[in-house]
Amino acid sequence: MAEATSTPPASGLVARFKQVLHGLGTDLLMIMLGVVAVRGYAPHAEWLTFMLAITVMMAMAATSSWRRGFRLGFWFGVGHYGWGFYWLINSLHGHGGLPLPGALAMLLGLAAIIGLYTGLFGALLGRMGPGSVWFLLGGPSLWAFAEWLRSWVFSGFPWNLAGYVWDGQLQILQVAELVGVYGLSWLAIWGPAVAVWWWFQPSDVRINRLLWAGPLVVVPLVMVHLYGGVRIVTLDALPKEPGEPLRVALVQPNIPQHEKWDRKLRQQNLDIHFKLSEAIKGPVDLLVWPETALTFFYHREFPFLMRFNRLLQKMNTTATVGAPVVMPAQEGDKKYFNSLLVFDKGNMVPSRRYDKHHLVPFGEYLPFRGIIPDSITKFTQGSSDFSTGPGPQVMSFAKGALGPLICYEAIFPGEVAALGRQGAKWLLNVTN
C-alpha cells in the first residue's frame, strides 16, 4: 500500500523565498519608476519621461488584484515623492536645524503618506478592466481624483501634481483657466491610459485598434494646443492698461534660521532689513519684507515703529511686513497668528492685516493637539501653535488689490483662485 507524500518543508521555504524576492524586485522597480517620473517636473520638464514611467506602472497595476495594485502604486509613490520632495532635507536640516536623521525620517514618512494616494489609484485601477472604455476614461479621472483628495485631507499637501509636467508648454497651460490644474493632470495621464488600453486589446484586433489609439492621444493634445495658441494671441491683442507699471522692491536678508530667532541677534537682523531697504534706488510702489521678518510683536516695539515710519516716508511708499501677531482669546488665553501687515507711509500702525489660514502641520501647529501631550511641540521655533486665519482675502492697495499668500499657501489651487474671484489684481507670496 503506497503511503501519501507531502512537499518537504524546505521546498516550501524556497518557493516562499523566491516569491518574496520577486515581490521585492517588483517593489524596487516601482520605486525606480517613481524616481524616473520626477524628470517630468521643472527644471527638466521631460513630460514624455513622466508618461512612460506612469504607463509601465499602470500596465502592471491594471491586471493585478487590488492588494497587489495598491502595493505597486504605493511604492511608485514612495519613489516619486521621496525623490521629488528632496528639497525638504535642505529645508528641514540645512535651514531648520533638524538633525539629518530626523529630516530623512520626515521625508520618507511624508512620501509614504502621499504614496497612499497612488496606492489607492493602483488598487482601483485593476477593477476597471484594462481593455475597456471604463479604463480609458476612468484611469485619468481616478488619478485626478486622488490628487484632489490629497489637496485637502489632513490639511492637504498638493505638491508635484501631474499637471505640473506641462511646465514650459505655454499653449497647453492656457486650458487651466477652464479645467484647473487637475484637468491638466487628467491630460497628463490620458496618454498612458490610452497606451495601456491599446496593449490589452485582444491580439486579433490590436493592430486595428492602433488606428484608434494614435488619434485618441494626439487629437486632444492638438485641440488643447490650438486653444492655447488662440488664447495667447487674443490676450496679446487686448489693449494695455494705461499708467505706470507696478514697481516692487523685495527685501531678502538671507538670515539663517538658527540666527533669525536668536534674541541676542534681533537688532542685528532688523538692521539688515533696514540697510537693504535704504539701499533701494529709485521710487517704488510697494516695499516687501518676507514672512516673519519681525520676530517680535510689533505693537510692543515703539522704536521700531518710529524707525519704520521714517523709512516709508523717505521712500514715499507702502510696505508689507511678515510678523507674528498675538490676540486675546476666551478665558484669558491668547491666539497667535502668522500675519502679513500693510503699513502706509505716515502711519505708525498697520492699516491692513492678513492672517495665514492654511498652516503647515507639525511646523506651525500640531494636528490633534487635544490628544497630544503638551511635552510634544512642533519642530519649528516657538512652543505655542499658530491659529488659523479666516481664509483667503484680498487687501486694498492703490494700484490694485493684493492677493496675499504666505509660504506654501500658494500651492493650493482653489485658494489661489478664490483670491482672483475676490478681485485680486496682484498675487503676493511671501516666504520664510
Side-chain angles (χ1 to χ4, degrees):
M1 182 175 178
E3 294 184 0
T5 60
S6 60
T7 303
S11 300
L13 289 174
V14 170
R16 178 59 179 165
F17 183 66
K18 288 182 178 180
Q19 185 180 7
V20 170
L21 285 180
H22 176 73
L24 291 176
T26 304
D27 295 344
L28 182 59
L29 173 62
M30 289 297 106
I31 292 173
M32 292 175 62
L33 286 172
V35 170
V36 169
V38 176
R39 299 283 299 184
Y41 303 114
H44 308 291
E46 298 174 3
W47 54 271
L48 186 57
T49 301
F50 173 88
M51 291 182 183
L52 289 173
I54 290 284
T55 300
V56 177
M57 185 269 283
M58 290 179 66
M60 296 180 67
T63 55
S64 300
S65 66
W66 73 268
R67 289 179 182 271
R68 186 169 185 268
F70 178 87
R71 181 169 175 170
L72 294 172
F74 172 77
W75 286 114
F76 179 92
V78 169
H80 188 61
Y81 301 112
W83 189 255
F85 297 161
Y86 72 93
W87 49 269
L88 280 172
I89 296 295
N90 188 49
S91 179
L92 296 171
H93 173 62
H95 297 296
L98 194 68
L100 183 58
L104 286 170
M106 290 197 67
L107 171 61
L108 293 177
L110 179 61
I113 292 173
I114 305 300
L116 295 175
Y117 296 97
T118 49
L120 174 67
F121 172 77
L124 298 179
L125 198 63
R127 313 281 69 78
M128 298 180 181
S132 69
V133 175
W134 294 110
F135 181 89
L136 197 59
L137 298 175
S141 301
L142 182 58
W143 181 279
F145 172 75
E147 287 192 339
W148 171 81
L149 202 62
R150 74 173 169 98
S151 72
W152 62 269
V153 173
F154 298 121
S155 180
F157 200 82
W159 246 300
N160 284 19
L161 302 179
Y164 297 150
V165 302
W166 301 116
D167 180 63
Q169 304 294 320
L170 193 59
Q171 286 83 356
I172 291 178
L173 290 175
Q174 302 312 306
V175 79
E177 68 179 350
L178 302 178
V179 297
V181 68
Y182 302 116
L184 291 176
S185 293
W186 193 98
L187 186 64
I189 307 301
W190 171 249
V194 172
V196 176
W197 169 82
W198 170 78
W199 180 255
F200 284 102
Q201 294 300 308
S203 57
D204 57 331
V205 299
R206 188 177 297 161
I207 297 300
N208 292 333
R209 291 290 170 85
L210 184 60
L211 299 177
W212 285 89
L216 279 174
V217 174
V218 174
V219 171
L221 286 174
V222 170
M223 292 178 63
V224 170
H225 201 276
L226 289 175
Y227 171 85
V230 172
R231 188 68 175 135
I232 291 172
V233 171
T234 303
L235 291 173
D236 287 342
L238 292 176
K240 302 298 184 292
E241 293 186 17
E244 293 285 332
L246 183 67
R247 298 162 298 185
V248 182
L250 308 176
V251 173
Q252 172 53 275
N254 197 29
I255 299 171
Q257 282 293 97
H258 67 278
E259 295 181 4
K260 175 172 182 171
W261 296 93
D262 189 334
R263 288 179 176 271
K264 297 178 181 178
L265 300 176
R266 175 184 294 178
Q267 189 59 49
Q268 174 183 307
N269 295 337
L270 194 59
D271 289 341
I272 293 174
H273 287 80
F274 275 103
K275 182 178 179 181
L276 291 172
S277 302
E278 291 163 353
I280 294 169
K281 304 297 183 182
V284 295
D285 301 304
L286 185 65
L287 174 68
V288 179
W289 282 16
E291 176 189 14
T292 56
L294 309 184
T295 56
F296 50 84
F297 300 122
Y298 72 92
H299 64 282
R300 299 177 181 176
E301 300 291 337
F302 187 71
F304 159 75
L305 293 173
M306 291 188 61
R307 184 181 179 184
F308 195 63
N309 184 48
R310 288 196 299 268
L311 172 68
L312 298 187
Q313 298 235 40
K314 180 181 178 181
M315 296 182 67
N316 191 31
T317 191
T318 297
T320 62
V321 181
V325 171
V326 59
M327 298 293 291
Q330 295 180 349
E331 300 178 358
D333 293 333
K334 298 178 180 178
K335 283 189 174 183
Y336 300 92
F337 297 94
N338 183 358
S339 303
L340 185 67
L341 312 173
V342 177
F343 286 85
D344 296 311
K345 62 179 181 180
N347 290 341
M348 293 283 287
V349 295
S351 56
R352 279 94 74 201
R353 189 183 101 208
Y354 166 70
D355 298 326
K356 185 176 182 179
H357 70 278
H358 210 132
L359 303 176
V360 181
F362 303 102
E364 293 177 309
Y365 78 102
L366 281 183
F368 312 110
R369 168 57 81 183
I371 61 175
I372 294 178
D374 293 337
S375 58
I376 300 177
T377 60
K378 59 188 193 302
F379 62 79
T380 54
Q381 294 285 339
S383 57
S384 299
D385 291 353
F386 280 117
S387 297
T388 57
Q393 57 184 29
V394 299
M395 306 168 79
S396 61
F397 179 57
K399 290 203 169 185
L402 296 174
L405 298 158
I406 298 180
C407 197
Y408 99 138
E409 288 183 321
I411 70 172
F412 295 92
E415 296 173 16
V416 178
L419 293 172
R421 290 193 295 270
Q422 292 181 30
K425 183 175 181 179
W426 313 99
L427 295 179
L428 174 60
N429 181 216
V430 295
T431 186
N432 183 8

